[in-house]
């Protein structure tokens, strides 16, 4: 009991000592843990750095071997190309030398061979002489033929003149102009006139006059001046073989009545009426002539230009927005007024009826 009482009296002190010792142990344990972590981190860092240095050395060795292999391969290729280049240069030099020798031999033998050239020129000169003689003979033959043809032509002209002047031949009652009594021998033309035969006069060809009746004249001019609307083909006419149109359709197309053009069908005042209609529509749409401007001073100094067909000082404008009758005294060249020419619209209105009548006649 005494021991139990003594232990119970010391229980508070034992609890405090247990707590104090555990707290001290926790501090030492944390320091030891931190020291162990630091030692492990340093060791592991040294180990990793040593492994990285090892890998670096290994990679350097691999790169060295691989780059050496590529360098040796490139060097072999350069040496091979240099070998082939040197070989081709030697071959080209040998080919040039062979060509030089062959061309020199060929030029000396064929092109600049004195004896060969002399023989060639001799043959050319002989050929030229032969051709020249042949051409001279041919020219003489042509000249003789031309002379002969000229003589024949002149002889034919003399014969024609003798036949034409045969009425001048001498007779027993009337002597000819070529039979002069003062000549010992007769004139050659007198002998030619005796041999020639007189020309037979040509009778003028008279065309037979045909009587023209009114029915035949109408039949001949019906296709041009008197078109008929209904023309029926003959009953006994057969259809033509092939891809041809019907005869009635062809005749209807041929004798179609006159159709006036668009200019003849429309009235003369069409343009004026269209302008008046457009002006009336514009008046109904626009209440006043003032343009609406936005509420800003941007258009304050801008001049308003009215529409094309609005009223102006000289009436409606033809087109554009500038007046054609603006006066500029600086451009005047004289004080007199120019004579105006009728516009195209007035000319058309003046000669429109003539055109319509001509269209109806045609």
């Amino acid at each position: 009991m005494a021991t139990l009482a003594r232990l119970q009296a010391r229980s508070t002190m034992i609890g405090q000592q247990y707590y104090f010792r555990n707290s001290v142990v926790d501090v030492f344990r944390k320091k030891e843990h931190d020291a162990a972590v630091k030692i492990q981190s340093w060791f592991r860092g040294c180990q990793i750095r040593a492994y990285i240095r090892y890998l670096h050395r290994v990679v350097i060795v691999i790169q060295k071997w691989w780059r050496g292999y590529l360098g040796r391969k490139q060097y072999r290729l350069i040496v091979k190309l240099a070998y082939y280049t040197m070989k081709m240069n030697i071959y080209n030099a040998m080919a040039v030398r062979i060509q030089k020798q062959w061309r020199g031999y060929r030029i000396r033998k064929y092109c600049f061979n004195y004896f060969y050239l002399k023989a060639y020129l001799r043959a050319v000169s002989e050929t030229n002489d032969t051709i020249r003689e042949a051409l001279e003979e041919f020219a003489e033959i042509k000249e003789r033929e031309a002379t002969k043809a000229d003589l024949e032509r002149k002889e034919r002209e003399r014969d024609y003149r003798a036949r034409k002047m045969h009425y001048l031949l001498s007779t027993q009652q009337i002597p000819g102009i070529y039979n002069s009594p003062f000549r010992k021998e007769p004139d050659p033309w007198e002998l030619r006139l005796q041999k020639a035969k007189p020309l037979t006069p040509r009778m003028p060809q008279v065309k037979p006059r045909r009587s023209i009746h009114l029915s035949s004249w109408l039949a001949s001019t019906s296709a041009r001046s008197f078109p008929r609307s209904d023309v029926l083909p003959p009953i006994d006419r057969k259809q033509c073989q092939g891809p041809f149109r019907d005869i009635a359709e062809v005749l209807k197309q041929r004798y179609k009545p006159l159709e006036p053009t668009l200019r003849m069908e429309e009235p003369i005042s069409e343009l004026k009426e269209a302008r008046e209609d457009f002006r009336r529509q514009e008046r109904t749409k626009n209440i006043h002539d003032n343009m609406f401007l936005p509420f800003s001073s941007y258009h304050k100094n801008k001049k308003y230009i009215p529409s094309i067909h609005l009223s102006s000082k000289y009436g409606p404008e033809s087109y554009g927005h500038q007046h054609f009758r603006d006066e500029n005294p600086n451009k005047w060249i004289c004080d007199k007024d120019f004579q105006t020419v009728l516009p195209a619209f007035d000319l058309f209105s003046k000669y429109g009826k003539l055109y319509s009548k001509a269209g109806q006649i045609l």
Side-chain angles (χ1 to χ4, degrees), residues 58-74:
V58 172
V59 168
I60 289 174
V61 172
I62 294 172
Q63 289 180 354
K64 180 173 66 175
W65 281 96
W66 174 248
R67 291 174 181 175
Y69 168 75
L70 292 180
R72 288 189 295 273
K73 186 177 179 180
Q74 185 70 19

Side-chain angles (χ1 to χ4, degrees), residues 115-344:
F115 299 100
Y116 175 76
L117 187 60
K118 187 176 181 180
Y120 172 74
L121 293 176
R122 189 184 300 108
V124 170
S125 61
E126 292 176 357
T127 306
N128 291 339
D129 295 339
T130 306
I131 294 173
R132 190 179 294 108
E133 292 176 0
L135 291 175
E136 290 176 357
E137 293 178 359
F138 181 74
E140 291 177 0
I141 293 171
K142 286 294 182 181
E143 186 177 358
R144 286 197 297 268
E145 290 179 356
T147 306
K148 184 178 179 181
D150 191 13
L151 293 175
E152 291 178 355
R153 181 178 56 78
K154 290 180 180 179
E155 189 66 22
R156 285 196 300 271
E157 290 179 358
R158 293 192 192 98
D159 292 342
Y160 177 75
R161 288 177 59 190
R163 293 182 64 186
K164 193 175 181 180
M165 295 186 300
H166 190 270
Y167 64 92
L168 300 176
L169 183 65
S170 299
T171 59
Q172 292 181 359
Q173 289 81 9
I174 301 174
I177 59 174
Y178 294 107
N179 192 8
S180 176
F182 303 101
R183 295 177 63 92
K184 296 181 179 180
E185 297 179 355
D187 193 83
W189 273 101
E190 182 70 19
L191 300 177
R192 185 178 290 275
L193 290 176
Q194 292 177 4
K195 295 179 181 179
K197 294 182 180 180
L199 285 175
T200 56
R202 294 183 180 180
M203 299 298 294
Q205 295 181 359
V206 181
K207 295 183 179 180
R209 299 182 62 185
R210 294 182 298 176
S211 60
I212 302 174
H213 299 284
L214 182 61
S215 60
S216 62
W217 180 77
L218 290 175
S220 62
T221 58
S222 61
R224 299 186 297 272
S225 302
F226 302 95
R228 292 175 292 180
S229 59
D230 297 329
V231 178
L232 298 177
I235 299 175
D236 56 347
R237 177 175 289 182
K238 296 182 180 180
Q239 182 69 24
C240 298
Q241 295 182 359
F244 303 108
R245 290 185 177 181
D246 192 9
I247 299 174
E249 185 182 356
V250 175
L251 294 177
K252 184 177 180 181
Q253 180 69 23
R254 180 181 297 176
Y255 300 113
K256 186 171 64 174
L258 181 64
E259 295 181 359
T261 60
L262 184 62
R263 178 179 292 180
M264 299 302 176
E265 289 182 353
E266 291 183 353
I268 299 176
S269 61
E270 180 70 22
L271 182 60
K272 186 176 180 180
E273 293 176 359
R275 288 178 177 174
E276 291 294 335
D277 189 12
F278 184 81
R279 196 174 291 110
R280 284 195 298 271
Q281 293 179 4
E282 193 174 24
R283 291 197 193 99
T284 57
K285 291 179 182 179
N286 299 331
I287 300 175
H288 52 79
D289 197 17
N290 297 326
M291 178 181 285
F292 176 75
L293 298 177
F295 301 98
S296 64
S297 60
Y298 179 74
H299 301 280
K300 183 182 293 184
N301 299 325
K302 187 175 180 181
K303 185 180 179 181
Y304 168 63
I305 299 173
S307 179
I308 299 176
H309 300 280
L310 294 179
S311 61
S312 63
K313 181 180 180 181
Y314 300 100
E317 302 172 3
S318 59
Y319 65 93
H321 59 272
Q322 295 294 335
H323 297 286
F324 287 101
R325 299 186 182 182
D326 289 340
E327 295 182 357
N328 189 2
N330 296 328
K331 295 185 178 180
W332 290 357
I333 58 175
C334 63
D335 298 334
K336 297 181 180 180
D337 295 334
F338 290 99
Q339 295 181 2
T340 59
V341 183
L342 290 176

Side-chain angles (χ1 to χ4, degrees), residues 14-63:
I14 291 171
Q16 291 178 0
Q17 290 181 1
Y18 177 77
Y19 176 74
F20 175 74
R21 290 179 182 179
N22 284 336
S23 62
V24 172
V25 169
D26 289 337
V27 173
F28 288 142
R29 186 181 296 114
K30 188 175 183 305
K31 288 182 179 180
E32 291 175 357
H33 180 268
D34 293 339
V37 168
K38 187 177 292 186
I39 294 170
Q40 288 179 1
S41 63
W42 174 79
F43 179 75
R44 289 174 182 175
C46 293
Q47 190 177 5
I48 292 298
R49 284 191 290 273
Y51 182 68
I52 290 173
R53 284 195 296 271
Y54 170 74
L55 291 179
H56 184 67
R57 289 195 300 270
V58 172
V59 168
I60 289 174
V61 172
I62 294 172
Q63 289 180 354

